[in-house]
């Protein structure tokens, strides 16, 4: 644990897992199972200790692990250890439906999700991707769909449902291909942060997600539960790389958010 100086004095900085209410943590530099010759990833373990582990048994759908620049890699995230997803495949890792543990992933109705990633929008300007989503066959369940796609106001967007017909959408970060995108839901208000800078909070009156995020299906990369659309019909998929995805079952305070952002920023700078 270190100390960060700011205008308010000294703020202790913590390792992400030292902050309470961590639900999931997927880090490309640990808990991966992959083939050394092919670089294909078949398992991404949950570093939080909650065992929300992700896997992909089908070789053609497996993303790849890179630790150095490569002409064959998706993206140009320098020498960062990353899991690279190919839009054309489409690659994804998921937690199988009804896989243990069956306990709810997020129960508070609030969340904070950090994503350190790189996307390639210049090639496929209309692509989208679900980082964290749920199979919503149960209408009483909420849904978190975090994606990246090209629009007039942003390349990064989250659409959150409380399972009762209420949704909140926050988007921004236009022109940002790589960096830290964060979403914080606090009650009925969703805020997007781009490299620690907050966008305009979005509020939906009546939104209440307490006890609604009972995830039985989690995806990183493409979303195989989505309905294909477009010409030719395709599912939302990711063309880019993930370094870290960290999810908390709470709306973190300023000090806690600064701690996680500091950790992720240091990764970018190494």
């Amino acid at each position: 644990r270190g100390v960060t100086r700011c205008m308010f004095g000294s703020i202790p900085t913590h390792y992400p897992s030292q902050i309470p209410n961590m639900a999931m943590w997927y880090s490309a530099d640990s808990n991966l199972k992959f083939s050394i010759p092919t670089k294909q990833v078949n398992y991404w373990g949950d570093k939080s200790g909650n065992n929300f582990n992700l896997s992909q048994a089908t070789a053609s759908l497996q993303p790849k692990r890179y630790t150095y620049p490569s002409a064959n890699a998706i993206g140009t995230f320098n020498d960062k250890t990353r899991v690279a997803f190919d839009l054309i495949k489409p690659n994804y890792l998921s937690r199988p439906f009804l896989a243990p543990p069956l306990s709810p992933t997020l129960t508070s109705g609030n969340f904070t999700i950090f994503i350190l990633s790189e996307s390639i929008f210049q090639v496929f300007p209309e692509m989208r991707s679900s980082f964290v989503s749920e199979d919503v066959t149960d209408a009483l369940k909420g849904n978190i769909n975090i994606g990246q796609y090209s629009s007039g106001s942003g390349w990064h967007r989250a659409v959150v449902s409380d399972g009762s017909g209420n949704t909140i959408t926050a988007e921004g970060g236009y022109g940002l291909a790589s960096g830290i995108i964060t979403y914080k839901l606090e009650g009925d208000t969703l805020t997007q942060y781009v490299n620690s800078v907050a966008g305009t909070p979005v509020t939906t009156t009546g939104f209440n997600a307490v006890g609604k995020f009972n995830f039985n299906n989690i995806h990183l990369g493409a979303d195989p539960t989505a309905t294909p659309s477009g010409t030719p019909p395709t599912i939302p998929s990711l063309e880019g790389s993930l370094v870290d995805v960290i999810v908390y079952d709470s709306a973190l305070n300023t000090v806690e958010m600064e701690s996680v952002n500091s950790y992720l920023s240091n990764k970018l700078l190494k």
Side-chain angles (χ1 to χ4, degrees):
R1 187 170 75 177
V3 174
T4 298
R5 301 285 179 181
C6 73
M7 63 182 292
F8 301 108
S10 298
I11 294 179
T13 56
H14 300 81
Y15 194 64
S17 58
Q18 293 178 298
I19 297 172
N21 303 310
M22 176 180 280
M24 291 170 276
W25 184 4
Y26 305 106
S27 178
D29 55 17
S30 63
N31 291 26
L32 286 177
K33 294 180 182 179
F34 60 96
S35 165
I36 293 177
T38 68
K39 304 185 186 345
Q40 291 175 233
V41 177
N42 61 66
Y43 175 90
W44 201 349
D46 176 10
K47 196 174 177 178
S48 74
N50 292 325
N51 293 317
F52 291 104
N53 305 314
L54 308 177
S55 61
Q56 177 55 264
T58 303
S60 62
L61 298 178
Q62 293 170 350
K64 294 184 177 182
R65 174 186 180 271
Y66 290 95
T67 57
Y68 54 86
S70 170
N72 297 321
I74 301 297
T76 57
F77 231 162
N78 298 323
D79 57 350
K80 305 296 180 293
T81 301
R82 61 209 186 272
V83 178
F85 296 80
D86 190 333
L87 174 76
I88 303 300
K89 299 297 182 184
N91 300 146
Y92 69 91
L93 294 160
S94 66
R95 177 171 173 262
F97 185 65
L98 294 181
L102 294 179
S103 58
T105 312
L106 307 175
T107 59
S108 70
N110 300 322
F111 63 70
T112 310
I113 300 176
F114 298 84
I115 302 162
L116 176 54
S117 67
E118 178 191 40
S119 298
I120 311 303
F121 293 96
Q122 294 83 350
V123 180
F124 298 98
E126 299 302 324
M127 73 176 183
R128 296 185 293 129
S129 170
S130 290
F131 280 107
V132 182
S133 66
E134 179 191 3
D135 180 73
V136 287
T137 53
D138 184 344
L140 297 179
K141 292 180 179 179
N143 182 49
I144 302 172
N145 190 306
I146 296 176
Q148 301 175 315
Y149 76 156
S150 180
S151 71
S153 57
W155 275 357
H156 303 270
R157 182 168 86 160
V159 180
V160 184
S161 168
D162 66 0
S164 300
N166 299 308
T167 61
I168 310 178
T169 300
E171 65 179 31
Y174 189 81
L176 178 71
S178 63
I180 305 167
I181 304 295
T182 307
Y183 295 95
K184 180 167 76 171
L185 176 67
E186 189 165 15
D188 60 0
T189 300
L190 180 65
T191 305
Q192 181 196 68
Y193 299 77
V194 178
N195 290 330
S196 305
V197 179
T200 302
V202 180
T203 299
T204 295
T205 302
F207 188 95
N208 184 352
V210 176
K212 296 296 184 66
F213 297 134
N214 301 315
F215 294 112
N216 282 324
N217 214 335
I218 301 169
H219 313 289
L220 292 184
D223 184 356
T225 67
T227 302
S229 61
T231 305
T234 56
I235 60 174
S237 304
L238 173 63
E239 180 90 350
S241 301
L242 296 178
V243 177
D244 280 271
V245 178
I246 307 176
V247 183
Y248 292 91
D249 184 19
S250 63
L252 299 191
N253 61 38
T254 301
V255 174
E256 292 169 333
M257 291 190 68
E258 180 59 35
S259 290
V260 180
N261 276 311
S262 176
Y263 171 84
L264 295 175
S265 295
N266 286 337
K267 262 195 169 182
L268 272 181
L269 294 174
K270 286 181 178 179

